[in-house]
Each structure stands twice: as C-alpha cells, then as structure tokens.
Amino acid sequence: MLESPPGQRRRRVLWTLASGAVIGLLAWLVPATLDYFATEPMTRHSKEVEENLDREGPAFTASTRVDADPLYRAYVLDRPLTRTETAIFLESGADDSPDFGEVEELAATHGGHGLEDPGWDKSDGYSSSWLIDLFSDRSAGLTITGIRAKDVRCGPAAAKTVILVRPEGGGAYDGIHFNLSEPKTPYSLSPDDYFGKPYFSYKKIDLGNGTEPGGLRASFSSGVQDCNFLLEAEYRDSLGLHQQEIKNASGRFAVRGLPANPYQFFLWTNVGVFDCGPHQLQRPRICPALPFSVTNWSSVV
C-alpha cells in the first residue's frame, strides 16, 4: 500500500475503515435483531411456565376444626342411663337451679355427643359444625362458587338416649348450613337479607392473588340418621371451572342425628329435669312429641 499512489492509498484506507464499520455494525445489529424477535416468544414461554408452576398442586388448602366453644342444645348418648343414674339425674333438677354440669358429666361417661341448634327452623334437625379455613398461595386469583356434600352415607341414628337442653336466650350466627337430605345446597345463616337462602347464589369466596384467607362456619344436620360424607368445592380461575375435595382432619366428616324413637328421652330446663321417655304413661306436658323427625324437631327449641 505504501508503494501505491497517494489517491489509491486513501481509497484503500477509507474502504478498510468502512468495511470495519459495517462489520462492527453487523456484529451488533444481528444479535440485537435476534434478541428483539426472540424476546416476545421467550417472555410468553416464561410466563406460561410460571403459570403452569403456579397451578401445580391443589388450588387451595382447607383446614377444618371443631368450634372450641360450641353451644350444645342436645346430647345423644350411646349407652342408656341405669335406674339409679336416672333417679339421680331427675333429682338434680328438683330445685330451682338445676346443675347443667350433670348433663355434661352424663355425656362424658355414656358415649355422649353434643349437637347444636343451627338457628334455622328449616334445617333437618340439630347439627354438628366445623370451622373451615381456606387459603391459596397462588399468584393468580380464583373464586370458590360452590360447596357440596358428596358421597353421603347414612343409617338410622344409633343413640339410645336423648337429652334436650332448653335454656333461655340464644341466637343465630354467621355461616352456612347443609341439610344432608339435600347435600348440594348450603344455606346462608348470615344475619342479613340472605338468611335461609342458598349461600352461593348470592356470595362467593375469593382466594389467591394476595387476598386474605377465607373461612366459613359450616353446620350439618342429618335428622334422625347418622351420616358421614366428604365435601367438594367448585371454583373458577382463568382456565374455567374446577372441583377440589375438602376433607376433615380424619378424612370424612361425621354427624349424629336424634333417634326417631329413643329408648330414653330427658328434657333439661332452667326449672327442672323431666323424663319424657316413651315408657311414661303420662308424659309431662312440657315434653316434645315423639317420634322425632325432620318436621317436628324445631318445636323443642
């Protein structure tokens, strides 16, 4: 190049510089172009992967627990009272202030199970309830739009003795109630305009996307039967409608009913204890009618 004429040398220098600039520009432009066209598919794929990972496993977790301070209005005992125990129990209510501790002691020693008044006279009878806590750590939101009892298995109530409790006062509480004779429909027990109406026709439970955990107080009545069952929640997310099972801590939920014709039947009140058993030739007028059924139980509340 040094032996070339000056004009030719300048052209060669300019050409070399231009070629280098073009090569440098291409070296930057080609990767940048590839990144530009690849970014959107990669971002879309990455988002899909994140969403799929987010949806792995259960959509939500549900923990169940029995109310720590239930208000029992009925007790069903698996073992009947002896004549001596009956006499002592009736005598405990002979004064003006019967000792409710006697009822609790009999329940503890005779295979007793406490039952609640659901606060709704259209229920199937006395009930058992659970507090159900619902939580989802998903980034995407989801909405529970229904809960139903499924795989319901029932048989005649096996208890031998019934003790009904008729104290003063009482009231309704917020939550839902299932008549197990129609297990697909939970009814609202919320003290508002929707009381006694199908709960999920008016309300829903939002989970995921950083929302606060949800919760329900769910009660179940089985009339004159003993029943066990599972729960199934129906929820919606961006992909559509899904179902997820809710189990009790031990697997299945179990509720007790009043036997239609109990072997023994006692009524505890603030003014005394009464033997309302079917063997009584003249049952006290305060005694509720027998047999128990889903249509007459509310008369004893």
Side-chain angles (χ1 to χ4, degrees):
M1 183 181 294
L2 295 176
E3 296 176 355
S4 303
Q8 188 176 0
R9 288 201 303 272
R10 285 195 299 273
R11 285 194 296 273
R12 288 181 178 179
V13 170
L14 292 173
W15 175 257
T16 300
L17 293 175
S19 299
V22 170
I23 292 172
L25 179 62
L26 290 175
W28 173 83
L29 185 60
V30 170
T33 303
L34 292 175
D35 286 344
Y36 174 80
F37 286 106
T39 295
E40 185 176 351
M42 290 178 63
T43 301
R44 187 183 305 113
H45 176 70
S46 178
K47 186 176 181 181
E48 290 176 354
V49 170
E50 290 178 0
E51 290 178 348
N52 289 336
L53 289 174
D54 189 41
R55 291 191 178 95
E56 285 187 352
F60 60 88
T61 57
S63 63
T64 62
R65 51 196 169 93
V66 177
D67 191 347
D69 188 25
L71 179 61
Y72 292 141
R73 294 293 183 87
Y75 290 83
V76 288
L77 312 184
D78 290 338
R79 183 169 68 82
L81 277 61
T82 65
R83 289 185 178 180
T84 300
E85 290 169 334
T86 297
I88 294 174
F89 185 39
L90 295 174
E91 182 64 26
S92 72
D95 54 28
D96 293 333
S97 55
D99 183 9
F100 184 69
E102 294 287 339
V103 178
E104 295 177 320
E105 183 176 345
L106 288 173
T109 57
H110 289 69
H113 302 267
L115 301 175
E116 301 166 302
D117 169 19
W120 185 45
D121 60 5
K122 293 184 180 179
S123 79
D124 278 350
Y126 291 94
S127 64
S128 297
S129 63
W130 284 263
L131 301 178
I132 303 177
D133 299 311
L134 302 163
F135 174 80
S136 176
D137 58 3
R138 283 191 175 183
S139 298
L142 62 99
T143 300
I144 294 180
T145 57
I147 297 178
R148 68 184 183 93
K150 73 169 190 176
D151 192 19
V152 181
R153 306 172 188 175
C154 299
K160 303 299 182 183
T161 300
V162 172
I163 302 175
L164 296 187
V165 178
R166 186 184 286 176
E168 295 178 355
Y173 43 72
D174 192 5
I176 60 175
H177 179 79
F178 286 84
N179 287 339
L180 290 179
S181 59
E182 43 179 334
K184 295 183 179 180
T185 306
Y187 293 93
S188 175
L189 295 181
S190 301
D192 54 26
D193 292 341
Y194 303 121
F195 182 88
K197 297 180 180 179
Y199 184 88
F200 286 101
S201 295
Y202 304 92
K203 301 183 181 184
K204 57 186 176 62
I205 302 172
D206 292 322
L207 299 174
N209 194 27
T211 58
E212 293 292 324
L216 289 171
R217 188 176 193 275
S219 66
F220 306 84
S221 60
S222 58
V224 292
Q225 299 186 94
D226 295 337
C227 297
N228 63 82
F229 55 94
L230 296 170
L231 291 179
E232 185 175 69
E234 180 181 88
Y235 70 92
R236 289 184 179 274
D237 60 15
S238 60
L239 295 183
L241 187 65
H242 316 271
Q243 288 80 35
Q244 182 173 314
E245 198 169 76
I246 297 176
K247 292 183 178 181
N248 192 19
S250 59
R252 297 177 66 83
F253 295 84
V255 300
R256 300 292 298 267
L258 301 185
N261 290 287
Y263 177 70
Q264 294 175 323
F265 173 25
F266 302 96
L267 179 65
W268 186 97
T269 75
N270 289 321
V271 297
V273 180
F274 301 90
D275 187 344
C276 296
H279 59 278
Q280 294 288 89
L281 296 178
Q282 292 184 334
R283 299 172 74 238
R285 295 184 63 181
I286 195 174
C287 292
L290 290 174
F292 290 123
S293 72
V294 296
T295 59
N296 78 354
W297 77 272
S298 61
S299 64
V300 304
V301 176

